[in-house]
Amino acid sequence: LACLSFVMMSLAAGVFACKTRPAATEVTSIPPREAYGMLLNDFAVLIDVRETDELEDGMAAQARSMPMSKVDAGGADWEAFLAQLPRDKEVILYCAAGRRAAKVAGLLAAKGYKARVMGGFDDWVGAGLPTKKPGAGAPAAPVASPSTAAGK
């Protein structure tokens, strides 16, 4: 009887634990400085989902571009992007305001990626973090030093 009680309690605890775990498709937000620290430590990749014409003002220095229109279209560009996206790092996304980034983050989370939303490019710039012009090799100098920007 004691053994049966232990099994029943274990099962009840297991069911409770499952109900309290976050869903695999849960997407959380991350502040720009924290995102930058994760990038510096190679714990994450940064994805800009704004359209090509929106990149004229620049993009985060470490960001890769995957325009929302290509995500929506599916197809070869999206599949190639997914194929090279690391599964062992967090995928941090941003756009202009955060809505498109949240949509793509949800798609990635549903595919098993740990996706987070940083918000908008203005948030990155406002935090004084380094930017680059699309196609440029070297990023523009950060407004804040990397140690300050990473919150150290």
Side-chain angles (χ1 to χ4, degrees), residues 9-152:
M9 288 176 51
S10 297
L11 286 173
V15 170
F16 178 76
C18 288
K19 289 182 179 179
T20 60
R21 287 186 196 139
T25 58
E26 182 177 326
V27 174
T28 59
S29 63
I30 184 170
R33 289 182 186 261
E34 184 180 339
Y36 186 60
M38 291 189 70
L39 293 166
L40 289 177
N41 289 297
D42 201 30
F43 296 143
V45 294
L46 185 62
I47 310 298
D48 187 330
V49 298
R50 296 177 297 157
E51 297 303 318
T52 305
D53 62 328
E54 294 177 89
L55 302 179
E56 292 174 1
D57 293 332
M59 58 192 293
Q62 295 86 349
R64 303 175 193 178
S65 177
M66 174 45 62
M68 185 72 199
S69 59
K70 290 185 179 184
V71 174
D72 284 339
D77 287 336
W78 175 241
E79 293 303 321
F81 173 77
L82 288 175
Q84 57 81 38
L85 200 59
R87 288 192 174 268
D88 62 338
K89 297 180 181 182
E90 290 195 12
V91 181
I92 302 171
L93 300 111
Y94 74 92
C95 56
R99 283 188 288 290
R100 290 174 287 179
K103 180 179 177 183
V104 178
L107 294 171
L108 291 173
K111 292 183 177 290
Y113 293 91
K114 181 160 171 92
R116 298 181 77 181
V117 177
M118 189 199 69
F121 179 64
D122 287 344
D123 298 324
W124 182 269
V125 172
L129 300 171
T131 62
K132 67 179 178 183
K133 293 290 183 181
V143 175
S145 71
S147 62
T148 303
K152 296 180 182 174

